[in-house]
Amino acid sequence: MKARLPWALLAALILAQICYPLTGGATRAGLTVATVVLGWLLSVGHALLTRGARTAAALVAVVTGGGFAVEAIGVATGFPFGTYDYSGELGPKLAGVPLIIPLAWTWMAWPAWLTAVRLVRSRLARIALSAVGLAAWDLFLDPQMVAEGYWTWLDATPALPGLPGIPVSNYLGWLGFAVLLAIALRPLAGPSVDRVDGRDAPMFALYLWTYASSVLAHAVFLRLPASALWGAAGMAVAAVPLAVTLWRARRDRAAEPEPAPRVDAPA
């Protein structure tokens, strides 16, 4: 049952995301909130089931708590992302921040960390790759949410080519804060987060699904071709090596000879 729960949550998340481009208005906003909540439950639940209470608590404290803190600072001061304001479409706010926003940080921070652990060995490389893997997701997220009117930038210059309305400082702020999250997570979560195994397959599937589905959705359904290109390039830094590594591991397992049947010696 425990092994199936992350897969069940992932299936529900995928279904919600498939429905997203088919809806609009308040229904789409509600579906956005539901998707984020499912993503948070998936990542925190997986951390709890596979690494225990310490890791899950650290993930919530560092990423959910830290995400809320940096968002509240950002809304109040414009640092580190730039000057922006949230609409009221994403549910209740605290200190000007919709309560689901820090949940979104947590949703993707955990699979980004595990992806880095799967791909690289050194501590510094893991911090760097997990930070890039998380921050690059915002190349999809921010253009999509701004297009929906869920938040607005008051000063959107300079912006990336093809992505007007969002300042470059936003992406740099994401990257900088993602580095801090990765640095803080390991000592608080414990040594179990430095290893991956078969139980982490749902998180790798989540990361690769997020990458592939975001490219498709932005390019085809949401009519945001520039963010499709920027996001595809950014998340590819982690997603493509992950896909190749998992494919090679599966190929190697399939190529292993089956053990010879045991033959008992005659009595």
Side-chain angles (χ1 to χ4, degrees), residues 199-211:
R199 300 173 300 170
D200 300 321
M203 292 295 101
F204 299 143
L206 170 61
Y207 196 82
L208 294 177
W209 160 258
T210 300
Y211 177 63

Side-chain angles (χ1 to χ4, degrees), residues 58-98:
L59 186 64
V60 172
V62 171
V63 188
T64 309
F68 173 77
V70 76
E71 291 283 354
I73 293 170
V75 168
T77 68
F79 177 83
F81 308 111
T83 306
Y84 62 105
D85 186 40
Y86 287 104
S87 72
E89 297 184 62
L90 294 179
K93 296 181 184 179
L94 180 62
V97 180

